[in-house]
Amino acid sequence: MSKIALITGATSGIGAACAHLFAAQGYNLILLGRREQLLTDVSKHLEDKYAIEVKKIVVDVRDNEDLSYRLDTLTQQWKKVDVLINNAGLSQGLDPIDKGSIDDWDTMIDTNVKGLLYTTRIVSNWMIAQKSGHIINIGSIAGKEVYPNGNVYCATKHAVDALNKGMRIDLLPHGIKVTAINPGMVETEFSKVRFKGDEGRAKKVYDGLEPLVANDIAEAIWFAVSRPAHVNINDMLIMPTAQATGTIINRK
Ligand SMILES: NC(=O)C1=CN([C@@H]2O[C@H](COP(=O)(O)OP(=O)(O)OC[C@H]3O[C@@H](n4cnc5c(N)ncnc54)[C@H](OP(=O)(O)O)[C@@H]3O)[C@@H](O)[C@H]2O)C=CC1
Ligand SMILES: CC(=O)[C@H](N)C(=O)O
């Protein structure tokens, strides 16, 4: 059976780019996201184009009960996951700590941290059973530096940074590789989501510079996954040439 990649947040951006790249490499895919139509469109396109098999799971990674149920009902064959890409995540707002929305904070913490934990808690056990696997955690430059008004989003990505290091220690004895991929600015739906659909404000983020595109990150992930058995990429920081630090550029 072909190798299997499980990708959270596969309906757009980096996750969708990873789905395309891994499909092109002949992987069968388990794709997760909340938007069913987008998931169906991506899945059908890839099955037609690459003659692979795709399992689509419409789920909110914040809902551990539903996530556990949907993953547990996969067949044993489909639980032989070779690569887990913990990608689902978002930012909400860009406000100073004294003005931030508690609901926004909860959404970011529940998605970026707890959603990643819930998924990993299940899939890591599948990998332990097969004594192999590779977990890719999508962090951010925001997990290395804090920028003005980045507060809670940066905190969630700092948490991912710590979790990545912890997973690497805990899972090494089981022959499981763990890698953090930390992008700078990537032009996806990220900023539109951050600014709650304000496309003008989202576009302004990238004014005057050439950001990364989703495939830049997918290719970096493929590099990490395709290293020989004795090599592990622990942590990769990938920035637009135009972005020297995590400081938000042109985001007002
Ligand atoms: N773009 C950037 O500049 C950077 C992005 N990152 C990180 O990269 C990752 C991917 O973001 P990016 O591709 O840019 O953004 P997008 O908004 O394009 O994609 C985010 C993906 O996550 C999914 N998602 C969000 N919330 C949930 C949820 N509760 N349950 C399930 N899936 C969810 C979305 O699917 P759906 O809405 O269908 O559920 C979507 O597929 C995120 O973790 C982000 O923090 C890191 C650094 C920079
Ligand atoms: C600054 C970044 O590169 C990142 N997209 C973020 O918003 O944290």
Side-chain angles (χ1 to χ4, degrees):
M1 184 172 179
S2 301
K3 289 195 170 188
I4 298 172
L6 189 155
I7 305 169
T8 68
T11 56
S12 73
I14 294 167
C18 288
H20 281 79
L21 193 150
F22 277 76
Q25 295 295 337
Y27 276 66
N28 289 332
L29 302 172
I30 303 171
L31 303 181
L32 279 64
R34 293 167 299 175
R35 290 172 288 179
E36 182 166 13
Q37 190 54 55
L38 280 177
L39 210 49
T40 302
D41 295 347
V42 170
S43 304
K44 185 164 181 344
H45 172 75
L46 294 176
E47 283 178 325
D48 293 347
K49 185 171 180 182
Y50 296 108
I52 58 160
E53 286 183 79
V54 180
K55 284 278 183 207
K56 60 185 173 70
I57 299 180
V58 181
V59 71
D60 187 324
V61 293
R62 296 172 292 178
D63 182 342
N64 188 42
E65 190 178 344
D66 189 37
L67 178 69
S68 303
Y69 170 76
R70 293 176 187 280
L71 291 178
D72 286 349
T73 50
L74 288 168
T75 63
Q76 283 312 313
Q77 272 301 96
W78 278 100
K79 289 178 180 178
K80 294 185 168 61
V81 171
D82 299 281
V83 179
L84 164 62
I85 303 178
N86 280 317
N87 166 75
L90 79 173
S91 64
Q92 290 279 275
L94 191 60
D95 299 305
I97 201 80
D98 52 303
K99 295 187 173 58
S101 148
I102 305 288
D103 287 346
D104 285 350
W105 294 355
D106 286 344
T107 300
M108 289 186 276
I109 292 165
D110 291 347
T111 307
N112 299 356
V113 184
K114 292 164 74 176
L116 178 149
L117 285 169
Y118 296 155
T119 309
T120 306
R121 180 70 175 72
I122 296 165
V123 179
S124 62
N125 278 283
W126 299 348
M127 292 180 169
I128 288 169
Q130 64 191 22
K131 298 183 174 55
S132 68
H134 198 151
I135 297 175
I136 303 286
N137 295 306
I138 306 297
S140 170
I141 179 66
K144 304 290 186 185
E145 301 171 16
V146 179
Y147 49 76
N149 303 330
N151 47 64
V152 174
Y153 176 72
C154 293
T156 67
K157 292 301 184 178
H158 275 70
V160 171
D161 192 48
L163 290 171
N164 190 76
K165 291 168 185 166
M167 284 184 210
R168 176 116 172 79
I169 296 165
D170 297 347
L171 299 175
L172 178 67
H174 302 287
I176 297 164
K177 291 187 176 184
V178 182
T179 297
I181 298 289
N182 296 293
M185 301 174 97
V186 191
E187 192 163 13
T188 60
E189 290 184 353
F190 179 86
S191 292
K192 193 170 85 173
V193 169
R194 166 172 254 164
F195 299 129
K196 316 276 177 81
D198 182 341
E199 305 219 3
R201 192 174 177 194
K203 193 176 172 313
K204 197 160 176 265
V205 165
Y206 310 104
D207 279 358
L209 64 88
E210 185 176 355
L212 302 174
V213 295
N215 203 49
D216 293 326
I217 307 305
E219 287 178 344
I221 291 168
W222 179 250
F223 175 79
V225 166
S226 59
R227 291 314 84 210
H230 73 287
V231 175
N232 187 73
I233 308 295
N234 281 17
D235 191 328
M236 209 188 279
L237 180 58
I238 311 156
M239 304 286 281
T241 306
Q243 183 185 8
T245 75
T247 306
I248 302 294
I249 299 164
N250 299 331
R251 277 195 188 136
K252 293 286 175 273

